[in-house]
Amino acid sequence: MAAASVEGTGQSPTLVVSGSISTSHSKQAQPSPDEEGLSSTQKRRRKRRRGRAKNQPELATGTHHQQRTPDLNSSSQPQTGGEGITSPKGKKAARRRGRKRWQARNTQGVEQRTTGADQSGDLASQRFSGSSEKSLKPQSKQRPETKSDNRGPSATGEVQRPKRTQGFRQKTPYGQNNSPLYAALDLGTNNCRLLIARPEERGFRVVDAYSRIVRLGEGVDSQKRLSDAAMDRAIEALANCHRKLSDRGVARSRLIATEACRAAENGSEFIDRVKTETGLALEVVNRETEARLAVAGCASLVDHEADGVILFDIGGGSSEIVWLDLRNRCGARGYALTRFIRSWISLPVGVVNLAERHGGVHVTPDIFEAMVEDAADHLAAFSLANNLTEAIASGRVHMLGTSGTVTTLAGVHLGLKRYDRRRVDGTWLDDSDVSRMIDELRDMPYEARMENPCIGADRADLVLAGCAILEAIRRRWTCPRLRVADRGLREGILTELMAADGVWARRRSRSRFDRGRQGNRV
């Protein structure tokens, strides 16, 4: 017989054999009576099941469990099936005990996190309620404990890091009250316009607007001076603008005056009077600046597929025409198109001085032709006219008009019962539609022009003078399409101010930075 013993040193059991080995096998190696008559496959399956049963820990005791070889014939073992595995009732009990332990751990973690949140909320309420520093000291001692309590165990028993809820500023979008306000004022020969806007991610949102017809340039063409009545009307409108700027708390603004103050001999005196009586410092801009601002304000309406644009602004005392050569723009859009100004011209004729010279109330076809010829004489000074004609021949050049004249034509063309900027701004008109609208307005009597909702009494005597300037431009350069822009110098001023401050550049870089931080937090 062989003597066998098990020596345990606290590690895995080791089998030591001494003596001679007889032909009888150990009890573990002998097959059970139940296995007699089974195939080899069934025997291997039972052997694997016995191996799994040996590896299961004893869940009944709370002490440290050691792996030991189960005795299948022992009566102290739990009831097993015929195949030597744990009964279904035992498995169900083990799963029930596991669920209870898991629920206990999660409940404890939630209570700890809730306690930490309550303590943090109490601390915050004491800070805002004006409590003394002495009352805050006991709470500050609990802050390390609260921080550690937030690290509750997970469902798998692993310690998870707490979710970071503070330490990162939320991204504040444009359009909220914390964004600065910008303002642009355009005191022209006929109108006084104010626009207050707030920058957004891709442009700006208008907060307040003001417009009034003051006819500051009335009589300047003949007398070369601003009349007292015209200056009084303008100062009254500017005082209203000053109140709006003060009430809104505008951070940045630019206030410009155009042709009327440029041409009048007492223009500088009027600027000083405005400063004294209203507190507004007006800036008299030259014609080149006026043309550039018109492009900046209307550039977003340029066709993305166009190779060139003839942009014109028919004002009260002057008219600016700009050629944008876009054949090499390389995908540039918006404000960036101001870099592609090929040439520009400023005509010393506008709706006010042209109507004063030829009359605007009762306009006959002969008077209308005289106004067209008057405007056409100034177009001869355009030095790059021939090159522009060649560019138009390619068929990918369109007109872009910004003035009360083209918006009126669009409103009449659309048959609006009331002027609607949302429908007019950006409207496309074919060349035939423009010709038909000009003929319709020319044949319309003065009373009918006054009653038209898109013209009104303020523009009834000026609209045909504007149509004459537009007709002179169309006869010089014929384009198949015209796009209407109900925007202009004010929008250009706001665009330049915001671009100079880098509000859109900061927004783009901040968005990239926020995206990077969010990616690091995942």
Side-chain angles (χ1 to χ4, degrees), residues 369-409:
E369 287 297 326
M371 288 191 290
V372 173
E373 293 177 1
D374 190 351
D377 293 339
H378 299 279
L379 293 177
F382 202 46
S383 59
L384 296 177
N386 295 330
N387 294 334
L388 179 55
T389 303
E390 295 176 359
I392 295 175
S394 65
R396 302 183 66 179
V397 177
H398 70 86
M399 284 188 174
L400 179 59
T402 165
S403 63
T405 300
V406 292
T407 56
T408 300
L409 290 175

Side-chain angles (χ1 to χ4, degrees), residues 101-132:
R101 286 195 297 269
W102 181 82
Q103 291 174 358
R105 287 197 298 265
N106 283 351
T107 303
Q108 182 181 4
V110 171
E111 290 178 355
Q112 291 175 349
R113 288 192 292 269
T114 305
T115 305
D118 293 341
Q119 293 176 355
S120 301
D122 295 340
L123 179 58
S125 61
Q126 290 182 8
R127 288 177 178 174
F128 285 99
S129 61
S131 58
S132 62

Side-chain angles (χ1 to χ4, degrees), residues 115-400:
T115 305
D118 293 341
Q119 293 176 355
S120 301
D122 295 340
L123 179 58
S125 61
Q126 290 182 8
R127 288 177 178 174
F128 285 99
S129 61
S131 58
S132 62
E133 182 180 1
K134 182 177 180 181
S135 62
L136 293 178
K137 287 183 179 180
Q139 297 290 343
S140 62
K141 293 180 180 180
Q142 298 177 2
R143 290 181 63 184
E145 181 180 354
T146 303
K147 181 176 180 181
S148 61
D149 289 344
N150 287 337
R151 301 185 179 182
S154 65
T156 60
E158 297 176 357
V159 178
Q160 294 182 343
R161 299 178 62 183
K163 295 183 179 180
R164 182 175 297 178
T165 57
Q166 295 181 358
F168 291 96
R169 292 184 302 174
Q170 295 293 332
K171 182 172 122 177
T172 303
Y174 282 114
Q176 296 186 0
N177 294 331
N178 58 347
S179 301
L181 288 177
Y182 290 76
L185 187 143
D186 172 25
L187 179 61
T189 305
N190 190 44
N191 289 326
C192 177
R193 298 186 179 96
L194 173 68
L195 204 62
I196 302 175
R198 192 186 304 277
E200 290 191 338
E201 187 172 356
R202 294 184 179 180
F204 54 83
R205 179 181 297 275
V206 175
V207 176
D208 200 353
Y210 176 83
S211 178
R212 177 174 295 184
I213 296 178
V214 297
R215 298 206 177 189
L216 179 62
E218 187 177 37
V220 173
D221 187 61
S222 58
Q223 301 176 4
K224 304 300 180 183
R225 290 182 61 85
L226 299 173
S227 64
D228 294 337
M231 289 188 292
D232 292 340
R233 292 193 299 266
I235 288 177
E236 182 182 357
L238 291 172
N240 294 331
C241 296
H242 181 266
R243 283 192 292 270
K244 286 183 173 292
L245 293 173
S246 300
D247 294 342
R248 293 288 184 176
V250 174
R252 285 263 283 152
S253 63
R254 187 179 184 184
L255 320 175
I256 68 170
T258 56
E259 182 63 24
C261 294
R262 286 196 301 258
E265 297 177 353
N266 59 341
S268 59
E269 299 175 3
F270 170 70
I271 297 298
D272 296 338
R273 181 182 171 186
V274 170
K275 177 66 175 177
T276 303
E277 298 185 15
T278 66
L280 299 178
L282 296 180
E283 173 191 359
V284 181
V285 297
N286 54 32
R287 294 176 178 175
E288 181 180 1
T289 302
E290 189 173 355
R292 188 190 74 248
L293 292 175
V295 174
C298 304
S300 59
L301 295 179
V302 173
D303 187 2
H304 298 163
E305 304 297 331
D307 289 338
V309 173
I310 302 175
L311 187 146
F312 59 87
D313 182 7
I314 301 176
S318 65
S319 299
E320 284 69 38
I321 304 174
V322 182
W323 176 22
L324 292 176
D325 190 358
L326 305 177
R327 287 172 290 189
N328 297 318
R329 64 174 173 176
C330 300
R333 298 180 182 179
Y335 178 69
L337 297 181
T338 56
R339 303 195 305 264
F340 299 92
I341 298 177
R342 179 75 176 272
S343 182
W344 64 275
I345 185 174
S346 180
L347 310 179
V349 290
V351 296
V352 175
N353 52 24
L354 194 61
E356 289 178 352
R357 288 200 295 266
H358 299 275
V361 178
H362 302 289
V363 180
T364 64
D366 295 337
I367 295 177
F368 184 80
E369 287 297 326
M371 288 191 290
V372 173
E373 293 177 1
D374 190 351
D377 293 339
H378 299 279
L379 293 177
F382 202 46
S383 59
L384 296 177
N386 295 330
N387 294 334
L388 179 55
T389 303
E390 295 176 359
I392 295 175
S394 65
R396 302 183 66 179
V397 177
H398 70 86
M399 284 188 174
L400 179 59

